[in-house]
Amino acid sequence: MKRQRIGVALGALIVVVVLGGLFGYQQLQQADDGSPRGGPVELPSTQGDFSLTQLEDDQLAVLFFGYTYCPDVCPMSMAVMRQVMQRLDEEQRRRVVPVLVSVDPERDTLERLTEYVSYFGDDFIGATGSQEQLEELADRYGVVWRRVETPDSAMEYTVDHSSSLYLVDREGRILQRVLYSPTPHALRSALEHELGG
């Protein structure tokens, strides 16, 4: 009887420890205020294996989650990034690394991404990964996307996705989140603030 009570107590203790660990892990997924916590980005890219840790201390990346077959928001956001990059001086441009992270790994091969990002400039990097890698990354950055089947279209499906730009440092710390805009003003202002211009 005594042994049975000890077994029940140990079982309860194990459950409490496991649940506590899961709760702690969940809390780590978001910052204290519920905002995205960011973190490492390590993915195959159009320039080899890409990692934020490759950035220099004074550099930052502008991350955009989208896909190359996107009909509107993605090319507009990429064009805005290109406009802003063109208006930076040479030293500022060296400090900014624009990165498109594709959330359509089925169609967006590295070859396809290479062709796509080349339309926007030599500084642009295209990156993608497995579905699991992208889901984990999107969870940390608060990115939402879903595949939408379009059986009557030659494209077969589209991808609905959130469209913010993230200014991040080499540790993956989110310096600023810039909401979607078809004009360059918000991104330009955010970059000037972070670059000290």
Side-chain angles (χ1 to χ4, degrees), residues 9-27:
L10 279 174
L13 180 62
I14 289 169
V15 167
V16 168
V17 169
V18 168
L19 290 176
L22 287 173
F23 178 76
Y25 176 76
Q26 273 187 323
Q27 294 305 304

Side-chain angles (χ1 to χ4, degrees), residues 108-194:
D108 284 346
T109 62
L110 292 179
E111 293 75 24
R112 167 79 183 168
L113 282 166
T114 298
E115 180 184 4
Y116 186 79
V117 298
S118 71
Y119 297 134
F120 300 98
D122 295 338
D123 298 324
F124 283 74
I125 296 173
T128 193
S130 68
Q131 193 73 19
E132 294 74 23
Q133 284 177 302
L134 294 170
E135 286 174 1
E136 191 271 337
L137 183 59
D139 185 52
R140 287 191 281 108
Y141 277 85
V143 174
V144 178
W145 88 88
R146 68 184 180 95
R147 177 173 164 147
V148 179
E149 302 297 332
T150 55
D152 297 332
S153 164
M155 285 181 58
E156 297 180 12
Y157 66 91
T158 60
V159 182
D160 287 350
H161 60 91
S162 47
S163 54
S164 295
L165 301 171
Y166 298 85
L167 277 55
V168 300
D169 64 15
R170 66 190 310 272
E171 307 300 328
R173 186 167 56 97
I174 298 173
L175 306 172
Q176 290 202 46
R177 179 178 176 191
V178 181
L179 299 180
Y180 169 75
S181 171
T183 65
H185 309 302
L187 178 59
R188 172 80 189 195
S189 175
L191 278 174
E192 285 178 347
H193 178 268
E194 295 306 327

Side-chain angles (χ1 to χ4, degrees), residues 58-73:
D58 66 344
Q59 287 185 307
L60 60 83
V62 181
L63 298 181
F64 175 64
F65 295 81
Y67 69 114
T68 67
Y69 288 86
C70 177
D72 41 35
V73 171

